[in-house]
Amino acid sequence: MNSIQELGTVDAERIIESFRQGTVPIRHLELYSVGRERWLASVYRDLDFVARGGSKVRFLSAPYGGGKTHFLMIVKARALSANLLVSYVELHSREAPF
């Protein structure tokens, strides 16, 4: 999907409802993601490196509501579209402090 004009009403309502519930919508992330282009470009380079046989580890730390899950969902979609395997492990500060 390249533009918001291609988004159906059902998907649009799902996105709005997800935001209303305080969760990250799972689909069409690229339509409402702004301001992370530099970070995404850097991670996309890492994904390309991994796709060629390399390996990378990244840590992401930000305050509550800082967009971590949203960012990771975008990266996950890109990795899956490149036929890479994805694993998601959520660490909580009380259970696994840095």
Side-chain angles (χ1 to χ4, degrees), residues 35-93:
R36 304 284 192 251
E37 293 81 10
R38 248 182 47 216
W39 293 354
L40 287 169
S42 175
V43 173
Y44 291 167
R45 283 190 301 274
D46 288 351
L47 290 177
D48 291 338
F49 176 71
V50 169
R52 294 189 317 269
S55 63
K56 289 278 183 167
V57 174
R58 289 242 180 175
F59 293 92
L60 180 62
S61 178
Y64 182 82
K68 299 176 297 293
T69 302
H70 181 85
F71 181 79
L72 290 173
M73 291 295 183
I74 296 169
V75 173
K76 175 185 171 184
R78 177 69 171 252
L80 290 173
S81 72
N83 293 319
L84 297 171
L85 295 176
V86 175
S87 176
Y88 181 84
V89 177
E90 188 172 321
L91 300 175
H92 298 276
S93 61

